[in-house]
């Protein structure tokens, strides 16, 4: 079924690779509830929705695309969701309708060649800036969650009290995790969280009310898909939908291509069976939003499983099975996610990995570099991925026109720039 011999692999290698990928990305079942709790979403809702969306997306990838690329809710999207809820004073259920509508549009685009053409239409510089900007955004969130960075009246932000228990625990956890990463330990992020949790337990900051519990299905956050489209119109969530849609498209497709190249699955510049691979996160996003989680994405951590020999969907079938098993450990995960210092190091480190995309920006060419710079700078400073995107997409065509390079523009970039201008100038954000 998975064509193991044709891919030069075997069952043992694929299963081990699946365990490796799972250990490197399982932190999301802890981090996602911790972040979305700031938007008022109940723990069990996010916990189960995270697992459901991860299982659906990863199973789709395994059974239909036969790729070793796992799917789960993406970091950055959850942080943006919180800013949407808090700044626009929305009920989280209303905000999830924007995620659902973006997922449906995403799904429709994935059924056509448009999505693949869409990726090539976006300037590479802006793609790199988006990745780096989200990296800074989630790293800043990690520092802020733990009190290492706090609000300052004189300078907006400043250094917090590093002697506080929360800050000390976060710094310790960050150092431990970095050491594991430097030693190339598999599952370093997850092991770092466990180690930090153990320290928190012995210092009295972490308390448990149980470890294992039979999971129960959460109530649907979105019960009527038709009403979801009506809510987007009623609350003018067009910019939010566009932001979720664009970021998910860039993030997922870029990750898929990167992991597929590393696994030797690309044929030239094309990705075989691309439609089913691209459908995986679109289906997972649509279903996951109905249960109560933010958009899913292909996980770059899948490259850890590829590095240990994973080449087929049997790797991701193993990942999906392990996510199902993790559903029985809600009390343990709930206790851990309630301590920001345990989860924040993962945000900071993943952010540092994402900022590496700046090396792909042509810094010697102003009309390429400055729009990307605006994206990177605006995302953490405004706590809005949408505003960061807007600054980049609006400035890019303006600079191209005035430098005489307007022929490099395509109609899609111009349309997106106009839409983002309307968002910034006239719509609430």
């Amino acid at each position: 079924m998975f064509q193991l011999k044709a891919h030069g692999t075997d069952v043992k290698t694929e299963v081990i690779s699946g365990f490796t990928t799972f250990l490197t990305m399982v932190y999301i079942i802890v981090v996602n509830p911790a972040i979305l709790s700031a938007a008022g979403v109940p723990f069990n809702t996010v916990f189960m929705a995270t697992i459901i969306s991860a299982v659906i997306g990863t199973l789709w990838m395994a059974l239909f695309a036969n790729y070793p690329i796992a799917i789960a809710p993406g970091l950055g999207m959850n942080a943006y969701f919180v800013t949407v809820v808090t700044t626009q004073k929305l009920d989280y259920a209303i905000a999830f309708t924007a995620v659902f509508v973006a997922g449906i549009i995403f799904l429709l685009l994935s059924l056509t060649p448009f999505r693949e053409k869409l990726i090539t239409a976006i300037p590479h510089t802006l793609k790199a800036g988006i990745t780096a900007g989200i990296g800074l955004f989630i790293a800043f969130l990690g520092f802020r969650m733990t009190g290492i960075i706090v609000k300052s009246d004189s300078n907006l932000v400043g250094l917090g009290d590093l002697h506080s228990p929360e800050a000390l625990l976060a710094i310790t956890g960050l150092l431990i995790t970095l050491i594991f990463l430097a030693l190339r330990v598999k599952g370093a992020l997850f092991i770092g969280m466990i180690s930090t949790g153990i320290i928190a337990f012995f210092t009295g900051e972490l308390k448990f009310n149980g470890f294992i519990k039979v999971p129960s299905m959460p109530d649907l956050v979105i019960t009527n898909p038709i009403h979801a489209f009506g809510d987007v119109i009623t609350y003018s969530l067009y910019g939010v939908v566009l932001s979720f849609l664009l970021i998910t498209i860039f993030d997922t497709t870029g990750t898929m291509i990167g992991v597929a190249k590393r696994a030797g699955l690309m044929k030239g510049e094309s990705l075989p069976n691309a439609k089913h691979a691209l459908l995986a996160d679109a289906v997972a996003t649509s279903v996951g939003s109905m249960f109560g989680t933010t958009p899913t994405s292909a996980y770059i951590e899948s490259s850890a499983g590829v590095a240990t020999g994973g080449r087929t969907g049997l790797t991701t079938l193993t990942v999906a099975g392990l996510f199902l098993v993790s559903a029985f450990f809600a009390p343990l995960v709930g206790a851990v996610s309630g301590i920001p210092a345990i989860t924040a190091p993962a945000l900071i480190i993943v952010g540092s990995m994402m900022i590496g995309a700046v090396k792909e920006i042509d810094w010697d060419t102003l009309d390429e570099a400055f729009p990307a710079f605006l994206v990177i700078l605006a995302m953490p400073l405004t706590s809005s991925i949408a505003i960061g995107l807007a600054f980049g997409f609006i400035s890019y065509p303006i600079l191209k026109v005035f430098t005489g390079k307007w022929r490099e523009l395509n109609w899609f970039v111009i349309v997106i720039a106009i839409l983002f201008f309307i968002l910034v100038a006239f719509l609430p954000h």
Side-chain angles (χ1 to χ4, degrees), residues 60 99-115 245 248-249 275-276 278-287:
W60 188 288
V99 180
F100 176 76
V101 171
I104 295 299
I105 298 172
F106 197 26
L107 186 60
L108 295 174
L109 289 177
S110 299
L111 292 170
T112 70
F114 180 71
R115 181 177 171 187
L245 183 62
T248 307
I249 287 174
K275 182 176 287 187
H276 281 302
L278 296 172
L279 275 170
D281 62 320
V283 172
T285 294
S286 302
V287 176

Side-chain angles (χ1 to χ4, degrees), residues 143-161:
F143 280 117
R144 197 177 65 189
M145 285 167 56
T146 54
I148 295 176
I149 298 295
V150 296
K151 183 171 68 172
S152 167
D153 293 333
S154 60
N155 197 36
L156 295 181
V157 294
L159 186 65
D161 180 10

Side-chain angles (χ1 to χ4, degrees), residues 94 124 145 154 174 191 240 252 282 335 351 396 428:
I94 298 297
H124 182 75
M145 285 167 56
S154 60
L174 182 61
I191 296 170
V240 178
T252 296
Y396 187 85

Side-chain angles (χ1 to χ4, degrees), residues 182-193:
L183 296 175
R184 300 184 183 278
V185 175
K186 302 297 182 186
L189 288 175
F190 182 68
I191 296 170
M193 286 173 55

Side-chain angles (χ1 to χ4, degrees), residues 327-340:
F328 289 85
F329 294 90
L332 175 63
V333 174
V336 171
S337 63
I339 309 294

Side-chain angles (χ1 to χ4, degrees), residues 4-53:
L4 300 182
K5 289 184 179 179
H7 288 88
T9 185
D10 54 43
V11 172
K12 180 181 177 181
T13 300
E14 294 292 300
V15 171
I16 290 174
S17 298
F19 269 88
T20 302
T21 295
F22 175 76
L23 286 175
T24 59
M25 64 181 290
V26 67
Y27 64 84
I28 193 60
I29 68 172
V30 181
V31 174
N32 206 33
I35 293 176
L36 292 184
S37 64
V41 191
F43 166 80
N44 190 62
T45 296
V46 186
F47 176 73
M48 289 304 299
T50 300
I51 292 173
I52 290 168
S53 61

